[in-house]
Amino acid sequence: MKLLTKKLEAKLPPLYSQEDNPDPMCIIKFFDPWSRWTWYGIEYDPKDKLFFGYVIGIENELGYFSLDELKSLRRIERDMYFDPTPLSTIMARGY
């Protein structure tokens, strides 16, 4: 499965465009099926292949992550059934 399709890429706002939005939308979700690591993409820069989003891992935090890094992990999958969801909803789930 392709981690990022052109159709999904077109839905992602550019980096820094959501800075003033108090509750941005998480547009895309990636996950490691063998761990709790999950990445929610909010913004994306196609030139640098860099996302800004919410990462659930050792800590739950907002930050940057790279599409190339996700691809290098080889077992990362995209949640094909994920619907865009406000960040507050994702954070309230308490992961």
Side-chain angles (χ1 to χ4, degrees):
M1 164 200 342
K2 195 169 185 181
L3 286 181
L4 183 62
T5 64
K6 291 289 183 191
K7 186 176 178 179
L8 281 170
E9 184 178 314
K11 292 179 181 181
L12 285 156
L15 282 184
Y16 313 113
S17 66
Q18 301 299 300
E19 285 183 332
D20 295 329
N21 184 344
D23 196 16
M25 295 294 284
C26 295
I27 305 297
I28 191 168
K29 175 184 174 185
F30 305 103
F31 65 98
D32 178 347
W34 296 359
S35 74
R36 72 182 295 260
W37 281 85
T38 307
W39 299 261
Y40 292 93
I42 296 171
E43 302 170 338
Y44 182 67
D45 178 357
K47 179 180 173 251
D48 294 328
K49 298 181 182 177
L50 187 66
F51 288 93
F52 178 77
Y54 187 58
V55 181
I56 298 169
I58 296 171
E59 300 281 333
N60 297 354
E61 60 188 347
L62 289 167
Y64 295 91
F65 56 95
S66 161
L67 180 61
D68 289 335
E69 288 178 18
L70 291 177
K71 286 179 179 179
S72 75
L73 298 173
R74 298 183 196 236
R75 66 182 191 211
I76 302 305
E77 298 181 19
R78 175 175 42 88
D79 185 341
M80 297 186 317
Y81 304 103
F82 180 74
D83 290 320
T85 305
L87 177 61
S88 63
T89 302
I90 301 292
M91 294 175 87
R93 292 179 183 165
Y95 296 109

